[in-house]
């Protein structure tokens, strides 16, 4: 889990992550998500996948020709809104992100709605448990930032109440519930549209900016 910048006091409904914009990079990333989803859905015996592979290889080669060194790119991805534009949960520039857009609420919680499809499947028609944990881990980090704290994940206690469905809206939420020194306790869950809890989590984060007692 990455550290999230402190949000501070902002009005209810404030978007805390970078929403997709009408920019070439965002449109290209959205197209890449369509390709990933379509590859998983397509008829593998009738689709001309050899031609698809050749075209995708050409696209990849073009992009790689315009890629800076890895170290330079890693730093660039953290500039400005980079931390939320490139992460694998909320990043509109990351093709493996759904992406999930999170907003802060006056009650101290954060939440966002997302519909997940084939790339995130575990059991048939349902979300992979590891993906659920990733969504919640990231959401809790954003919840800490909304509460004015920032920390690295030390422990996630994930409980799977029932299979989480694909192809329908899900609400992912989190809230910081306690803090003591460097320790931050945060909870969250994933619910269906009717409010049914599919996955819940209790987590411990460590704020490395707070001096440890001697």
């Amino acid at each position: 889990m990455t550290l999230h910048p402190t949000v501070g006091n902002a009005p209810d409904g404030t978007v805390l992550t970078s929403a997709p914009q009408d920019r070439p990079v965002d449109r290209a990333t959205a197209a890449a998500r369509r390709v990933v989803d379509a590859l998983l859905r397509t008829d593998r015996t009738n689709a001309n996948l050899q031609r698809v592979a050749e075209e995708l290889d050409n696209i990849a080669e073009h992009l790689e020709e315009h890629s800076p060194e890895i170290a330079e790119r890693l730093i660039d991805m953290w500039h400005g809104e980079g931390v939320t534009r490139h992460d694998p949960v909320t990043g509109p520039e990351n093709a493996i992100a759904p992406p999930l857009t999170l907003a802060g609420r006056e009650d101290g919680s954060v939440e966002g709605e997302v519909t997940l499809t084939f790339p995130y499947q575990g059991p048939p028609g349902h979300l992979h448990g590891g993906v659920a944990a990733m969504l919640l881990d990231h959401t809790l980090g954003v919840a800490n930032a909304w509460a004015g704290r920032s920390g690295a994940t030390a422990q996630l206690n994930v409980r799977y109440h029932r299979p989480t469905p694909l192809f329908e809206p899900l609400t992912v939420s989190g809230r910081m519930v306690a803090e003591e020194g460097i320790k931050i306790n945060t909870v969250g869950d994933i619910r269906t549209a009717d409010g049914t809890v599919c996955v819940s989590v209790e987590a411990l984060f460590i704020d490395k900016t707070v001096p440890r007692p001697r």
Side-chain angles (χ1 to χ4, degrees):
M1 177 69 188
T2 55
L3 301 176
H4 288 271
T6 298
V7 175
N9 295 322
D12 179 54
T14 297
V15 174
L16 306 177
T17 54
S18 296
Q21 302 170 10
D22 186 24
R23 306 194 314 176
V25 64
D26 290 44
R27 295 197 298 271
T29 306
R33 290 193 192 97
R34 284 190 62 194
V35 170
V36 171
D37 187 81
L39 278 170
L40 289 167
R41 288 189 290 113
T42 195
D43 184 338
R44 290 173 291 175
T45 60
N46 291 327
N48 187 351
L49 293 179
Q50 180 58 40
R51 177 188 170 192
V52 169
E54 292 171 357
E55 293 188 6
L56 290 177
D57 276 335
N58 288 335
I59 291 171
E61 289 173 5
H62 171 75
L63 294 173
E64 289 166 356
E65 288 174 0
H66 296 82
S67 299
E69 295 297 324
I70 291 177
E72 179 184 345
R73 188 69 182 118
L74 288 174
I75 294 172
D76 181 61
M77 289 171 69
W78 273 80
H79 285 167
E81 293 186 342
V83 65
T84 61
R85 289 196 64 79
H86 301 114
D87 73 71
V89 174
T90 66
E93 293 187 35
N94 190 329
I96 72 170
L100 173 65
T101 300
L102 294 166
R105 306 301 180 194
E106 286 185 351
D107 63 3
S109 66
V110 304
E111 68 175 35
E113 186 177 286
V114 66
T115 299
L116 300 166
T117 60
F118 286 104
Y120 308 100
Q121 179 173 255
H126 295 90
L127 183 64
H128 190 290
V131 175
M134 179 177 70
L135 292 173
L136 286 167
D137 179 32
H138 192 84
T139 298
L140 298 192
V142 175
N144 291 337
W146 179 238
R149 295 298 300 270
S150 180
T153 310
Q155 183 175 330
L156 282 178
N157 295 322
V158 183
R159 181 181 177 187
Y160 298 93
H161 300 264
R162 53 186 51 80
T164 305
L166 300 177
F167 313 110
E168 62 180 75
L170 301 170
T171 298
V172 187
S173 63
R175 175 204 300 267
M176 191 186 79
V177 293
E179 53 184 322
E180 181 180 357
I182 65 172
K183 296 181 179 180
I184 307 167
N185 296 104
T186 318
V187 299
D189 58 48
I190 299 176
R191 300 172 182 253
T192 57
D194 64 2
T196 301
V197 176
C198 298
V199 187
S200 63
V201 65
E202 297 178 350
L204 170 66
F205 292 79
I206 301 299
D207 186 346
K208 296 184 177 181
T209 66
V210 176
R212 293 175 179 268
R214 296 183 178 181

PDB file of all heavy atoms in Angstrom, residues 156-172:
ATOM      1  N   LEU A 156      -3.879  -6.330   7.342  1.00  0.00           N
ATOM      2  CA  LEU A 156      -5.237  -6.347   6.801  1.00  0.00           C
ATOM      3  C   LEU A 156      -5.932  -7.602   7.277  1.00  0.00           C
ATOM      4  O   LEU A 156      -5.448  -8.710   7.032  1.00  0.00           O
ATOM      5  CB  LEU A 156      -5.225  -6.352   5.264  1.00  0.00           C
ATOM      6  CG  LEU A 156      -4.961  -5.073   4.480  1.00  0.00           C
ATOM      7  CD1 LEU A 156      -4.954  -5.396   2.997  1.00  0.00           C
ATOM      8  CD2 LEU A 156      -6.017  -4.025   4.781  1.00  0.00           C
ATOM      9  N   ASN A 157      -7.046  -7.445   7.966  1.00  0.00           N
ATOM     10  CA  ASN A 157      -7.877  -8.587   8.356  1.00  0.00           C
ATOM     11  C   ASN A 157      -9.125  -8.564   7.477  1.00  0.00           C
ATOM     12  O   ASN A 157     -10.063  -7.798   7.726  1.00  0.00           O
ATOM     13  CB  ASN A 157      -8.261  -8.511   9.836  1.00  0.00           C
ATOM     14  CG  ASN A 157      -7.054  -8.629  10.742  1.00  0.00           C
ATOM     15  OD1 ASN A 157      -6.138  -9.394  10.454  1.00  0.00           O
ATOM     16  ND2 ASN A 157      -7.035  -7.870  11.832  1.00  0.00           N
ATOM     17  N   VAL A 158      -9.125  -9.384   6.430  1.00  0.00           N
ATOM     18  CA  VAL A 158     -10.200  -9.381   5.452  1.00  0.00           C
ATOM     19  C   VAL A 158     -11.159 -10.528   5.733  1.00  0.00           C
ATOM     20  O   VAL A 158     -10.738 -11.677   5.910  1.00  0.00           O
ATOM     21  CB  VAL A 158      -9.637  -9.510   4.020  1.00  0.00           C
ATOM     22  CG1 VAL A 158     -10.770  -9.430   3.001  1.00  0.00           C
ATOM     23  CG2 VAL A 158      -8.611  -8.412   3.749  1.00  0.00           C
ATOM     24  N   ARG A 159     -12.449 -10.208   5.752  1.00  0.00           N
ATOM     25  CA  ARG A 159     -13.477 -11.231   5.947  1.00  0.00           C
ATOM     26  C   ARG A 159     -14.364 -11.276   4.710  1.00  0.00           C
ATOM     27  O   ARG A 159     -14.917 -10.250   4.305  1.00  0.00           O
ATOM     28  CB  ARG A 159     -14.330 -10.931   7.179  1.00  0.00           C
ATOM     29  CG  ARG A 159     -15.407 -11.998   7.418  1.00  0.00           C
ATOM     30  CD  ARG A 159     -16.261 -11.669   8.622  1.00  0.00           C
ATOM     31  NE  ARG A 159     -17.323 -12.646   8.798  1.00  0.00           N
ATOM     32  CZ  ARG A 159     -18.314 -12.543   9.683  1.00  0.00           C
ATOM     33  NH1 ARG A 159     -18.367 -11.476  10.469  1.00  0.00           N
ATOM     34  NH2 ARG A 159     -19.241 -13.472   9.765  1.00  0.00           N
ATOM     35  N   TYR A 160     -14.499 -12.472   4.138  1.00  0.00           N
ATOM     36  CA  TYR A 160     -15.332 -12.659   2.949  1.00  0.00           C
ATOM     37  C   TYR A 160     -16.677 -13.230   3.395  1.00  0.00           C
ATOM     38  O   TYR A 160     -16.781 -14.400   3.743  1.00  0.00           O
ATOM     39  CB  TYR A 160     -14.630 -13.589   1.967  1.00  0.00           C
ATOM     40  CG  TYR A 160     -13.319 -13.018   1.470  1.00  0.00           C
ATOM     41  CD1 TYR A 160     -12.114 -13.323   2.107  1.00  0.00           C
ATOM     42  CD2 TYR A 160     -13.284 -12.149   0.384  1.00  0.00           C
ATOM     43  CE1 TYR A 160     -10.914 -12.778   1.670  1.00  0.00           C
ATOM     44  CE2 TYR A 160     -12.083 -11.595  -0.064  1.00  0.00           C
ATOM     45  CZ  TYR A 160     -10.913 -11.915   0.581  1.00  0.00           C
ATOM     46  OH  TYR A 160      -9.730 -11.374   0.146  1.00  0.00           O
ATOM     47  N   HIS A 161     -17.711 -12.385   3.392  1.00  0.00           N
ATOM     48  CA  HIS A 161     -19.024 -12.782   3.881  1.00  0.00           C
ATOM     49  C   HIS A 161     -19.782 -13.619   2.855  1.00  0.00           C
ATOM     50  O   HIS A 161     -20.500 -14.558   3.206  1.00  0.00           O
ATOM     51  CB  HIS A 161     -19.851 -11.537   4.223  1.00  0.00           C
ATOM     52  CG  HIS A 161     -19.222 -10.685   5.274  1.00  0.00           C
ATOM     53  ND1 HIS A 161     -19.549 -10.761   6.612  1.00  0.00           N
ATOM     54  CD2 HIS A 161     -18.264  -9.717   5.187  1.00  0.00           C
ATOM     55  CE1 HIS A 161     -18.835  -9.889   7.305  1.00  0.00           C
ATOM     56  NE2 HIS A 161     -18.048  -9.234   6.450  1.00  0.00           N
ATOM     57  N   ARG A 162     -19.656 -13.252   1.586  1.00  0.00           N
ATOM     58  CA  ARG A 162     -20.334 -13.955   0.495  1.00  0.00           C
ATOM     59  C   ARG A 162     -19.644 -13.578  -0.813  1.00  0.00           C
ATOM     60  O   ARG A 162     -18.924 -12.584  -0.856  1.00  0.00           O
ATOM     61  CB  ARG A 162     -21.823 -13.569   0.440  1.00  0.00           C
ATOM     62  CG  ARG A 162     -22.067 -12.082   0.374  1.00  0.00           C
ATOM     63  CD  ARG A 162     -23.544 -11.733   0.468  1.00  0.00           C
ATOM     64  NE  ARG A 162     -24.200 -12.365   1.588  1.00  0.00           N
ATOM     65  CZ  ARG A 162     -24.142 -11.925   2.848  1.00  0.00           C
ATOM     66  NH1 ARG A 162     -23.424 -10.848   3.135  1.00  0.00           N
ATOM     67  NH2 ARG A 162     -24.774 -12.557   3.800  1.00  0.00           N
ATOM     68  N   PRO A 163     -19.833 -14.361  -1.860  1.00  0.00           N
ATOM     69  CA  PRO A 163     -19.193 -14.013  -3.135  1.00  0.00           C
ATOM     70  C   PRO A 163     -19.615 -12.624  -3.611  1.00  0.00           C
ATOM     71  O   PRO A 163     -20.785 -12.249  -3.508  1.00  0.00           O
ATOM     72  CB  PRO A 163     -19.691 -15.112  -4.081  1.00  0.00           C
ATOM     73  CG  PRO A 163     -20.004 -16.266  -3.185  1.00  0.00           C
ATOM     74  CD  PRO A 163     -20.542 -15.659  -1.920  1.00  0.00           C
ATOM     75  N   THR A 164     -18.656 -11.876  -4.131  1.00  0.00           N
ATOM     76  CA  THR A 164     -18.908 -10.526  -4.623  1.00  0.00           C
ATOM     77  C   THR A 164     -19.200 -10.580  -6.113  1.00  0.00           C
ATOM     78  O   THR A 164     -18.360 -11.030  -6.894  1.00  0.00           O
ATOM     79  CB  THR A 164     -17.686  -9.630  -4.377  1.00  0.00           C
ATOM     80  OG1 THR A 164     -17.342  -9.665  -2.982  1.00  0.00           O
ATOM     81  CG2 THR A 164     -17.962  -8.200  -4.805  1.00  0.00           C
ATOM     82  N   PRO A 165     -20.384 -10.152  -6.549  1.00  0.00           N
ATOM     83  CA  PRO A 165     -20.770 -10.320  -7.953  1.00  0.00           C
ATOM     84  C   PRO A 165     -20.042  -9.375  -8.908  1.00  0.00           C
ATOM     85  O   PRO A 165     -19.729  -8.238  -8.567  1.00  0.00           O
ATOM     86  CB  PRO A 165     -22.268 -10.010  -7.939  1.00  0.00           C
ATOM     87  CG  PRO A 165     -22.445  -9.063  -6.789  1.00  0.00           C
ATOM     88  CD  PRO A 165     -21.456  -9.514  -5.749  1.00  0.00           C
ATOM     89  N   LEU A 166     -19.787  -9.862 -10.101  1.00  0.00           N
ATOM     90  CA  LEU A 166     -19.327  -9.031 -11.199  1.00  0.00           C
ATOM     91  C   LEU A 166     -20.541  -8.482 -11.948  1.00  0.00           C
ATOM     92  O   LEU A 166     -21.669  -8.904 -11.706  1.00  0.00           O
ATOM     93  CB  LEU A 166     -18.465  -9.841 -12.159  1.00  0.00           C
ATOM     94  CG  LEU A 166     -17.188 -10.477 -11.600  1.00  0.00           C
ATOM     95  CD1 LEU A 166     -16.512 -11.307 -12.684  1.00  0.00           C
ATOM     96  CD2 LEU A 166     -16.233  -9.421 -11.063  1.00  0.00           C
ATOM     97  N   PHE A 167     -20.302  -7.532 -12.838  1.00  0.00           N
ATOM     98  CA  PHE A 167     -21.306  -7.000 -13.771  1.00  0.00           C
ATOM     99  C   PHE A 167     -22.459  -6.270 -13.091  1.00  0.00           C
ATOM    100  O   PHE A 167     -23.530  -6.115 -13.671  1.00  0.00           O
ATOM    101  CB  PHE A 167     -21.873  -8.122 -14.662  1.00  0.00           C
ATOM    102  CG  PHE A 167     -20.825  -8.996 -15.260  1.00  0.00           C
ATOM    103  CD1 PHE A 167     -20.677 -10.309 -14.849  1.00  0.00           C
ATOM    104  CD2 PHE A 167     -19.950  -8.503 -16.223  1.00  0.00           C
ATOM    105  CE1 PHE A 167     -19.693 -11.116 -15.388  1.00  0.00           C
ATOM    106  CE2 PHE A 167     -18.971  -9.305 -16.774  1.00  0.00           C
ATOM    107  CZ  PHE A 167     -18.838 -10.615 -16.361  1.00  0.00           C
ATOM    108  N   GLU A 168     -22.266  -5.812 -11.856  1.00  0.00           N
ATOM    109  CA  GLU A 168     -23.275  -4.972 -11.201  1.00  0.00           C
ATOM    110  C   GLU A 168     -22.579  -3.989 -10.280  1.00  0.00           C
ATOM    111  O   GLU A 168     -21.460  -4.232  -9.821  1.00  0.00           O
ATOM    112  CB  GLU A 168     -24.297  -5.810 -10.435  1.00  0.00           C
ATOM    113  CG  GLU A 168     -23.758  -6.645  -9.306  1.00  0.00           C
ATOM    114  CD  GLU A 168     -24.866  -7.437  -8.615  1.00  0.00           C
ATOM    115  OE1 GLU A 168     -25.324  -8.436  -9.204  1.00  0.00           O
ATOM    116  OE2 GLU A 168     -25.271  -7.049  -7.500  1.00  0.00           O
ATOM    117  N   PRO A 169     -23.220  -2.835 -10.015  1.00  0.00           N
ATOM    118  CA  PRO A 169     -22.556  -1.789  -9.227  1.00  0.00           C
ATOM    119  C   PRO A 169     -22.213  -2.268  -7.816  1.00  0.00           C
ATOM    120  O   PRO A 169     -23.012  -2.913  -7.140  1.00  0.00           O
ATOM    121  CB  PRO A 169     -23.602  -0.667  -9.179  1.00  0.00           C
ATOM    122  CG  PRO A 169     -24.504  -0.929 -10.338  1.00  0.00           C
ATOM    123  CD  PRO A 169     -24.558  -2.419 -10.488  1.00  0.00           C
ATOM    124  N   LEU A 170     -21.005  -1.920  -7.400  1.00  0.00           N
ATOM    125  CA  LEU A 170     -20.542  -2.209  -6.043  1.00  0.00           C
ATOM    126  C   LEU A 170     -20.085  -0.903  -5.402  1.00  0.00           C
ATOM    127  O   LEU A 170     -19.525  -0.037  -6.070  1.00  0.00           O
ATOM    128  CB  LEU A 170     -19.364  -3.179  -6.064  1.00  0.00           C
ATOM    129  CG  LEU A 170     -19.597  -4.546  -6.701  1.00  0.00           C
ATOM    130  CD1 LEU A 170     -18.259  -5.277  -6.862  1.00  0.00           C
ATOM    131  CD2 LEU A 170     -20.570  -5.375  -5.883  1.00  0.00           C
ATOM    132  N   THR A 171     -20.337  -0.762  -4.109  1.00  0.00           N
ATOM    133  CA  THR A 171     -19.852   0.397  -3.373  1.00  0.00           C
ATOM    134  C   THR A 171     -18.703  -0.036  -2.478  1.00  0.00           C
ATOM    135  O   THR A 171     -18.837  -0.963  -1.680  1.00  0.00           O
ATOM    136  CB  THR A 171     -20.960   1.022  -2.513  1.00  0.00           C
ATOM    137  OG1 THR A 171     -22.011   1.491  -3.374  1.00  0.00           O
ATOM    138  CG2 THR A 171     -20.422   2.202  -1.705  1.00  0.00           C
ATOM    139  N   VAL A 172     -17.567   0.630  -2.640  1.00  0.00           N
ATOM    140  CA  VAL A 172     -16.385   0.360  -1.822  1.00  0.00           C
ATOM    141  C   VAL A 172     -16.205   1.546  -0.884  1.00  0.00           C
ATOM    142  O   VAL A 172     -16.180   2.698  -1.333  1.00  0.00           O
ATOM    143  CB  VAL A 172     -15.127   0.180  -2.698  1.00  0.00           C
ATOM    144  CG1 VAL A 172     -13.948  -0.261  -1.844  1.00  0.00           C
ATOM    145  CG2 VAL A 172     -15.389  -0.818  -3.821  1.00  0.00           C
TER     146      VAL A 172
END
